[in-house]
C-alpha cells in the first residue's frame, strides 16, 4: 500500500456555503499528518467525507485502499476515530462504553491497558457526565484506539487538555506511530497560536526595543540633561514604558484584524480573560526590558544582555517552537519563563479552556514588581 489516504479534487457544500473546495491530499503509511485551520474552515467536513459519513459533491477518496462509501464495513475494522463532538449517553460508565466499543471489532485492543496508558484507569466505574473535559478527551482517544487501527483520525485532539496531559498524549501517540500507526489529525492551530503571535511583538519591544532605547539615551547624554529638569527615574521610565505599551497594542489589534479577515480566526472565547492575560504578559515582559535599560551602562552592554534574554526566550517560550514538542528537561526550565507562562495563559483564555492554576499570574506579577523596583532603585543617569 503506497498511500494510507489519497484524495483527489474533493468538494463539499452545505447550501450556499462551500466547506471544501477541490482538495487534493496524500498521506503515506506510518506518518502523522496535520490538517490545520481555524474553526469552521471545513476540517471536520473533510474527515466525515473521508469516512463516508458525508457524501462529497465531487472528487474521489481512498482510505487504506478502500472506498469509504462502498467498503465501509471492511474499512471500519481498520480505522479509529475521535471526533470533536461525541454524543455518548451521559449516564453510561467508562467501563461499559469501552466494553461495548470493543465488541464491535474483530481484533480489539485491551481497553484496560489503553485506559491505564492515558491515565483514566481509575475512572472505569465513573459516568461519562462526571468526567472532566480533559478526562473525556482522553476517553475518546481510548475509544478511537480500541479497534487496534492502522489509521486513526483525531479531530481537535488537544482541546480540553492541559500542558501535562497534552505532552503525555503525544508521547503515547508517537510510540504508536513508531509501530506503524498512521495518524491524521486536525487542529485550530491558528487560534492556539494567536497568543504566541501576540507575544512575538511583546518580546521584541520589551526585551530588545525598550532597553536599547533607554541605554542609547544614556550613552548620548540625553538622560543627563533630563536629570537637571528635574525628573525622577520612575517618570522617565514610565514614558518609555507607555510608548512600548502603545506599540504592543497596535501590533495586537493589527494581528487580530488580519487574522479575522485573512485567517478566519474567531474572537477569543473570553475577551476580558484574554485581554487581562495579554496585558499581564506585556507588562511583565516590558518590566524586564525596563530593568535592563535602567541599569545597563551603555548600548553595547544593553545589547549583549538583551540578546541573551531575547533569543532564548523567543525560541523556547513557545513563540516560535511549540512548547509541547520540547524534551521534558527543557520544558521544566522554560516553563519558569514569564513569557512562557503568559503564552499558556493567553492560549487558555483564547480557547476558553479552564485555568488550572494561578501560578502564571503570580509569577508574572512578582517578576513585574521585582524588575520595576530594580530599574528605579538602581537607575543610572550616565
Amino acid at each position: 500500500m503506497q498511500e494510507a489516504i489519497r484524495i483527489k479534487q474533493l468538494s463539499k457544500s452545505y447550501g450556499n456555503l462551500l466547506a471544501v473546495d477541490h482538495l487534493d491530499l496524500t498521506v503515506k503509511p506510518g506518518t502523522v499528518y496535520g490538517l490545520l485551520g481555524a474553526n469552521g474552515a471545513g476540517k471536520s467536513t473533510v474527515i466525515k467525507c473521508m469516512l463516508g459519513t458525508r457524501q462529497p459533491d465531487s472528487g474521489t477518496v481512498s482510505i487504506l485502499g478502500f472506498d469509504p462509501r462502498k467498503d465501509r464495513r471492511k474499512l471500519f475494522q481498520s480505522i479509529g476515530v475521535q471526533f470533536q463532538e461525541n454524543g455518548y449517553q451521559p449516564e453510561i460508565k467508562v467501563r461499559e462504553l469501552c466494553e461495548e466499543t470493543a465488541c464491535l471489532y474483530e481484533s480489539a485492543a485491551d481497553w484496560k491497558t489503553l485506559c491505564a496508558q492515558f491515565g483514566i484507569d481509575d475512572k472505569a466505574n465513573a459516568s461519562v457526565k462526571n468526567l472532566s473535559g480533559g478526562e473525556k478527551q482522553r476517553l475518546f482517544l481510548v475509544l478511537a484506539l480500541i479497534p487496534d487501527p492502522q489509521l486513526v483520525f483525531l479531530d481537535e485532539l488537544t482541546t480540553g487538555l492541559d500542558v501535562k496531559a497534552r505532552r503525555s498524549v503525544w508521547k503515547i501517540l508517537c510510540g504508536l506511530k513508531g509501530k506503524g500507526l498512521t495518524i491524521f489529525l486536525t487542529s485550530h492551530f491558528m487560534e492556539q497560536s494567536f497568543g504566541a503571535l501576540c507575544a512575538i511583538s511583546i518580546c521584541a519591544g520589551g526585551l530588545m526595543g525598550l532597553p536599547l532605547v533607554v541605554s542609547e539615551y544614556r550613552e548620548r547624554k540625553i538622560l543627563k540633561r533630563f536629570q537637571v529638569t528635574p525628573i525622577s527615574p520612575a517618570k522617565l521610565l514610565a514614558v518609555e514604558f507607555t510608548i512600548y505599551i502603545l506599540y504592543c497594542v497596535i501590533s495586537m489589534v493589527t494581528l487580530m484584524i488580519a487574522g479575522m479577515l485573512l485567517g478566519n480566526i474567531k474572537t477569543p472565547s473570553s475577551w476580558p480573560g484574554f485581554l487581562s492575560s495579554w496585558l499581564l504578559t506585556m507588562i511583565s515582559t516590558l518590566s524586564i526590558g525596563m530593568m535592563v535599560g535602567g541599569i545597563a551602562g551603555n548600548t553595547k552592554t544593553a545589547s549583549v544582555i538583551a540578546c541573551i534574554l531575547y533569543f532564548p526566550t523567543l525560541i523556547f517560550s513557545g513563540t516560535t517552537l511549540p512548547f509541547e514538542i520540547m524534551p521534558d528537561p527543557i520544558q521544566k526550565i522554560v516553563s519558569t519563563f514569564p513569557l512562557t507562562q503568559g503564552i499558556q495563559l493567553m492560549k487558555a483564555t483564547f480557547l476558553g479552556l479552564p485555568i488550572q492554576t494561578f501560578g502564571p499570574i503570580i509569577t508574572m506579577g512578582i517578576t513585574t514588581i521585582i524588575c520595576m523596583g530594580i530599574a528605579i532603585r538602581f537607575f543610572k543617569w550616565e
Side-chain angles (χ1 to χ4, degrees):
M1 180 176 57
Q2 294 183 343
E3 295 102 10
I5 300 173
R6 185 174 183 84
I7 296 175
K8 289 185 178 180
Q9 296 294 296
L10 179 69
S11 295
K12 176 64 180 177
S13 297
Y14 297 100
N16 295 325
L17 176 63
L18 181 61
V20 184
D21 185 17
H22 294 91
L23 175 66
D24 288 313
L25 187 151
T26 300
V27 180
K28 295 182 179 180
T31 60
V32 177
Y33 189 97
L35 186 64
L36 309 179
N39 282 332
K43 305 184 299 299
S44 296
T45 297
V46 170
I47 287 185
K48 290 173 182 177
C49 289
M50 291 164 67
L51 295 174
T53 58
R54 287 285 188 277
Q55 175 67 50
D57 299 332
S58 62
T60 60
V61 179
S62 174
I63 308 296
L64 300 177
F66 297 111
D67 183 321
R69 299 286 295 182
K70 297 179 180 178
D71 306 310
R72 186 181 301 178
R73 183 169 296 179
K74 294 180 180 179
L75 182 61
F76 179 77
Q77 295 294 328
S78 302
I79 63 172
V81 183
Q82 171 261 328
F83 278 124
Q84 183 178 357
E85 297 179 358
N86 295 275
Y88 300 118
Q89 296 175 343
E91 299 292 342
I92 193 169
K93 298 183 185 302
V94 170
R95 170 179 48 80
E96 296 169 339
L97 186 55
C98 289
E99 289 174 347
E100 288 183 6
T101 302
C103 289
L104 300 174
Y105 298 94
E106 297 173 357
S107 302
D110 182 4
W111 65 266
K112 294 181 181 178
T113 300
L114 289 171
C115 284
Q117 280 185 301
F118 285 94
I120 57 170
D121 49 321
D122 60 335
K123 301 293 181 180
N125 292 312
S127 300
V128 171
K129 70 176 184 178
N130 293 326
L131 300 180
S132 67
E135 289 169 344
K136 287 180 181 178
Q137 190 75 334
R138 281 177 279 169
L139 171 60
F140 300 151
L141 279 166
V142 167
L143 297 175
L145 294 173
I146 283 178
D148 195 17
Q150 299 176 43
L151 167 64
V152 64
F153 292 90
L154 306 175
D155 193 15
E156 306 293 2
L157 168 66
T158 57
T159 301
L161 297 178
D162 59 28
V163 174
K164 183 178 179 180
R166 194 180 302 129
R167 185 166 66 246
S168 175
V169 165
W170 274 117
K171 187 175 181 179
I172 296 170
L173 291 176
C174 286
L176 294 173
K177 172 186 172 294
K179 296 179 181 179
L181 177 66
T182 304
I183 301 171
F184 187 95
L185 58 91
T186 69
S187 176
H188 45 249
F189 180 78
M190 288 179 284
E191 276 91 348
Q192 290 196 28
S193 300
F194 189 80
L197 294 175
C198 290
I200 290 176
S201 63
I202 293 174
C203 191
L207 300 183
M208 289 295 284
L210 179 56
L212 294 182
V213 167
V214 175
S215 61
E216 184 181 3
Y217 286 169
R218 180 179 296 110
E219 195 167 5
R220 292 168 58 184
K221 309 299 181 182
I222 296 176
L223 294 184
K224 191 174 182 179
R225 297 175 203 165
F226 282 129
Q227 185 180 17
V228 299
T229 47
I231 187 174
S232 67
K235 289 183 179 179
L236 191 146
L237 290 172
V239 171
E240 291 297 326
F241 196 85
T242 303
I243 291 173
Y244 278 92
I245 284 179
L246 294 175
Y247 158 76
C248 293
V249 169
I250 293 172
S251 176
M252 190 269 287
V253 171
T254 303
L255 183 61
M256 175 66 78
I257 293 174
M260 293 173 66
L261 294 178
L262 303 177
N264 294 320
I265 293 179
K266 295 187 177 181
T267 57
S269 296
S270 170
W271 269 113
F274 175 74
L275 291 177
S276 297
S277 60
W278 171 82
L279 183 64
L280 183 57
T281 304
M282 176 187 62
I283 291 176
S284 64
T285 305
L286 289 178
S287 69
I288 297 173
M290 189 169 69
M291 178 186 68
V292 176
I295 64 177
N298 51 54
T299 305
K300 184 177 180 179
T301 302
S303 179
V304 171
I305 298 174
C307 287
I308 292 174
L309 292 172
Y310 175 73
F311 290 107
T313 300
L314 187 66
I315 295 172
F316 295 111
S317 64
T319 53
T320 55
L321 183 67
F323 178 83
E324 291 79 12
I325 69 172
M326 299 178 194
D328 287 346
I330 295 179
Q331 285 191 3
K332 290 179 181 179
I333 296 172
V334 301
S335 62
T336 61
F337 292 1
L339 190 62
T340 304
Q341 300 199 24
I343 291 172
Q344 298 299 325
L345 196 60
M346 284 191 285
K347 181 187 294 187
T349 53
F350 196 102
L351 298 175
L353 302 177
I355 298 175
Q356 303 291 335
T357 175
F358 290 101
I361 298 174
I362 296 172
T363 299
M364 288 187 285
I366 292 174
T367 299
T368 301
I369 295 171
I370 292 175
C371 290
M372 284 186 172
I374 292 174
I376 296 171
R377 175 65 179 80
F378 300 99
F379 184 80
K380 296 179 179 179
W381 292 102
E382 56 181 318

